[in-house]
């Protein structure tokens, strides 16, 4: 009986209990957030490095919590994945990103339409018919499929099921392009390039961070860019923060980039002002 009492004490250890309560509260809050549409998108410009011209946008989700303010994705996406709430959230992200991109493209008369990139979680591929969800978002927004990019992480591809490849092929058949996010951070990046129908490589920020001052990082980055060229893939460098990094990447013929050096992720209004100054 004494031992049992001790075990029980451990279960009700205050710090653990507080953490457990916080996580229950967060789950309840997240359910409410899905019902009340408490999510917003930010859009980070993707630019052509040689010219600085904006050619696309990456949609990044935020949770506008009524008491806690803006919550970044890394603080709620894991729980959203565990509870499958990422399914309705991800569907909303896709529809909203397509809708907003179509609206901006309609105002760009004459200019090349912008692409919009949307991050997808493995849970969405496992638990929904993602090709159908993507097709519906394109149809309801009127965004051409060629303007949409789906970003997948290597971890998504590691744990893939048989149906993953088939779903990705179906999405490609719609005319949508696929990007591998955080390229180079996993163990088998090269294997995935052969196995999955990828169009775009996103060079992880950890390489870009050191490209100006660590020779090994520069060699790896240039190697990834050349690999992309050899396979006829676009390369996007992530997390460019200074002019030194930009010039290394431009010299290495990296096609596209994004990062605070150009622009942070912006809300609709701020991005509209950047794209259509003075209107
Ligand atoms: P990610 O897809 O690798 O997105 C890039 C992250 O780097 C974003 O963080 C962006 O704000 C940040 N970033 C961009 N440029 C710079 C820079 O120059 N310096 C620094 N330090 N950071 C930069 P964010 O928005 O907090 O998103 C974090 C991650 O959350 C994303 O990483 C992505 O994996 C995930 N995520 C975001 N939105 C969604 C979504 O709608 N669905 C899913 N499933 N995941 C999402
Ligand atoms: Ca991404
Ligand atoms: Ca990334
Ligand atoms: Ca990342």
């Amino acid at each position: 009986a004494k031992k049992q009492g001790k075990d029980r004490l451990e279960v009700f250890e205050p710090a653990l209990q507080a953490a457990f309560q916080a996580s229950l509260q967060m789950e309840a809050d997240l359910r409410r957030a899905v019902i009340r549409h408490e999510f917003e998108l930010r859009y980070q410009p993707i630019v052509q490095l040689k010219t600085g011209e904006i050619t696309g946008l990456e949609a990044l989700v935020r949770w506008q919590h009524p008491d806690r303010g803006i919550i970044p994705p890394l603080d709620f996406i894991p729980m959203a994945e565990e509870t499958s709430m990422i399914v309705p959230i991800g569907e909303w992200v896709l529809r909203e990103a397509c809708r907003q991109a179509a609206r901006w493209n309609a105002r760009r008369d004459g200019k090349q339409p912008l692409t919009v990139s949307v991050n997808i979680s493995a849970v969405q591929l496992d638990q929904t018919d993602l090709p159908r969800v993507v097709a519906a978002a394109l149809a309801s927004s009127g965004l051409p499929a060629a303007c949409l990019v789906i970003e997948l992480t290597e971890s998504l591809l590691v744990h893939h099921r048989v149906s993953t490849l088939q779903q990705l092929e179906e999405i490609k058949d719609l005319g949508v392009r696929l990007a591998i996010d955080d390229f180079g951070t996993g163990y088998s990046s090269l294997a995935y390039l052969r196995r999955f129908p990828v169009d775009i490589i996103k060079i992880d920020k950890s390489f870009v961070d050191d490209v100006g001052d660590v020779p090994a990082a520069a060699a790896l980055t240039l190697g990834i860019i050349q690999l992309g060229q050899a396979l006829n893939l676009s390369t996007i460098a992530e997390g460019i923060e200074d002019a030194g990094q930009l010039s290394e990447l431009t010299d290495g013929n990296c096609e596209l980039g994004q990062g605070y050096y150009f622009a942070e992720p912006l809300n609709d209004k701020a991005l509209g002002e950047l794209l259509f100054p003075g209107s």
Side-chain angles (χ1 to χ4, degrees):
K2 204 174 179 189
K3 186 169 185 297
Q4 212 176 3
K6 201 177 162 211
D7 285 350
R8 205 174 287 156
L9 265 181
E10 269 169 19
V11 171
F12 289 98
E13 206 256 309
L16 265 184
Q17 177 154 16
F20 181 63
Q21 285 294 348
S23 115
L24 281 182
Q25 181 65 50
M26 169 109 163
E27 187 174 333
D29 282 6
L30 200 52
R31 282 188 200 286
R32 185 208 55 218
V34 169
I35 292 163
R36 296 197 193 159
H37 305 288
E38 292 172 1
F39 302 99
E40 291 178 9
L41 291 184
R42 297 287 180 272
Y43 298 90
Q44 186 174 41
I46 296 173
V47 307
Q48 192 147 46
L49 295 182
K50 288 235 153 71
T51 61
E53 190 196 341
I54 299 175
T55 62
L57 309 166
E58 178 175 2
L60 295 156
V61 72
R62 304 285 181 265
W63 176 8
Q64 178 65 60
H65 190 286
D67 313 317
R68 293 168 58 196
I70 299 244
I71 303 184
L74 294 178
D75 291 354
F76 71 88
I77 296 272
M79 174 167 282
E81 290 178 334
E82 280 164 34
T83 56
S84 294
M85 279 187 274
I86 193 66
V87 169
I89 297 170
E91 205 164 320
W92 177 82
V93 168
L94 200 52
R95 271 189 285 115
E96 178 64 13
C98 290
R99 188 189 65 85
Q100 188 58 269
R103 287 182 55 192
W104 280 319
N105 282 339
R107 296 173 60 190
R108 277 171 69 83
D109 36 30
K111 280 194 186 167
Q112 186 83 358
L114 299 172
T115 62
V116 67
S117 300
V118 175
N119 295 282
I120 292 293
S121 149
V123 177
Q124 290 173 269
L125 276 173
D126 283 350
Q127 300 189 3
T128 55
D129 180 358
L130 195 64
R132 187 193 52 76
V133 173
V134 169
L138 291 171
S140 71
S141 63
L143 186 78
C147 293
L148 180 62
V149 175
I150 296 291
E151 296 197 0
L152 313 158
T153 56
E154 284 181 31
S155 59
L156 180 151
L157 302 175
V158 176
H159 305 293
H160 80 278
R161 301 181 178 191
V162 183
S163 62
T164 302
L165 181 58
Q166 194 190 327
Q167 289 198 59
L168 296 180
E169 299 278 10
E170 279 177 43
I171 291 170
K172 290 267 304 185
D173 287 344
L174 296 170
V176 172
R177 284 175 302 156
L178 302 180
I180 295 201
D181 210 344
D182 306 338
F183 187 83
T185 56
Y187 291 106
S188 2
S189 307
L190 299 181
Y192 299 125
L193 284 185
R194 288 192 52 194
R195 203 170 310 144
F196 294 98
V198 169
D199 306 280
I200 299 163
I201 296 175
K202 298 195 75 171
I203 305 171
D204 192 65
K205 180 177 186 303
S206 58
F207 296 101
V208 173
D209 280 343
D210 294 335
V211 77
D213 33 54
V214 180
L220 282 167
T221 306
L222 297 180
I224 296 173
I225 297 165
Q226 283 165 14
L227 178 71
Q229 286 169 341
L231 296 174
N232 222 354
L233 308 174
S234 284
T235 44
I236 306 181
E238 293 193 287
I240 301 172
E241 293 181 344
D242 63 50
Q245 294 165 348
L246 173 60
S247 75
E248 288 289 328
L249 291 161
T250 314
D251 289 351
N253 282 319
C254 184
E255 186 187 350
L256 301 164
Q258 60 188 105
Y260 296 168
Y261 182 72
F262 301 106
E264 288 182 23
L266 302 169
N267 65 21
D268 305 5
K269 187 166 174 290
L271 189 72
E273 282 162 11
L274 183 69
L275 293 176
F276 310 103
S279 66

